[in-house]
Amino acid sequence: MNILKRPIIIAILALLIGASILFILNSTHTQHDSKAHDHKRDADGNIIHDEVNMPGLIGADTTDIEIAELRALFINHTEITRTVENLPNGIKTITETENPELRDQLISHVIGMMSRVSENRDPQIPIQSPMLTPIFEDGASIITDFEITEKGIIFIQTSDNPDTVDALQKHAAEVSDLAARGMEAVHERMDNSN
């Protein structure tokens, strides 16, 4: 084989393999998207939650790890304790668990979302609160500090934007409700918003 043809053939094969991988990833993502919006309802129109697959956790921009973390947090919500202090310009939350594996997932989730806020990367999860939209949109104005504890994480977020502070405080209360009641809190909020 001509030496000049070999790099061209390798480049073409690399492009074909890359295109195939992108096609497969896009197909999988599209399947996740269609499943995410498929909420079953009971006779009264209330959302029935799929406790096994949790399709409502699959966002337009979520990773499998993020979905697994959310699933673990929802399934084990009764093992999570939370306190929230509203500050004049933000929030201070303490979220902890006695379960070491859940603690790791909790910390990873919080740090991952902190990174998303700083990058203005809204995961667009179907069941997420509308309070998250202004938080993701105004990530540049939010100052975040955190401390990992033996059982979880202390998290402080502040902003000079009063609307963002309001969203941070409302969302912190929603997360506390999720920790207390799990998916029941999500369904109630979604039913009330329709």
Side-chain angles (χ1 to χ4, degrees), residues 82 84 86 91 167-178:
R82 254 177 82 80
V84 176
N86 284 343
I91 55 164
L168 288 169
Q169 292 176 349
K170 286 179 179 173
H171 181 61
E174 290 173 337
V175 173
S176 293
D177 193 27
L178 293 175

Side-chain angles (χ1 to χ4, degrees), residues 63-136:
T63 66
D64 289 342
I65 291 172
E66 289 171 327
I67 295 165
E69 290 167 353
L70 285 167
R71 184 177 288 124
L73 294 172
F74 275 111
I75 289 172
N76 301 294
H77 70 93
T78 58
E79 296 182 50
I80 297 170
T81 60
R82 254 177 82 80
T83 59
V84 176
E85 179 185 349
N86 284 343
L87 307 173
N89 60 344
I91 55 164
K92 175 182 179 182
T93 66
I94 302 171
T95 311
E96 296 182 312
T97 179
E98 298 286 338
N99 178 332
E101 184 178 327
L102 186 60
R103 173 192 174 267
D104 292 345
Q105 291 169 316
L106 165 68
I107 291 168
S108 178
H109 170 72
V110 171
I111 291 173
M113 289 301 111
M114 182 173 60
S115 176
R116 280 183 170 277
V117 167
S118 70
E119 298 167 3
N120 302 100
R121 287 183 50 228
D122 185 342
Q124 300 174 42
I125 298 169
I127 66 166
Q128 80 183 27
S129 163
M131 289 299 108
L132 285 173
T133 301
I135 292 170
F136 283 114

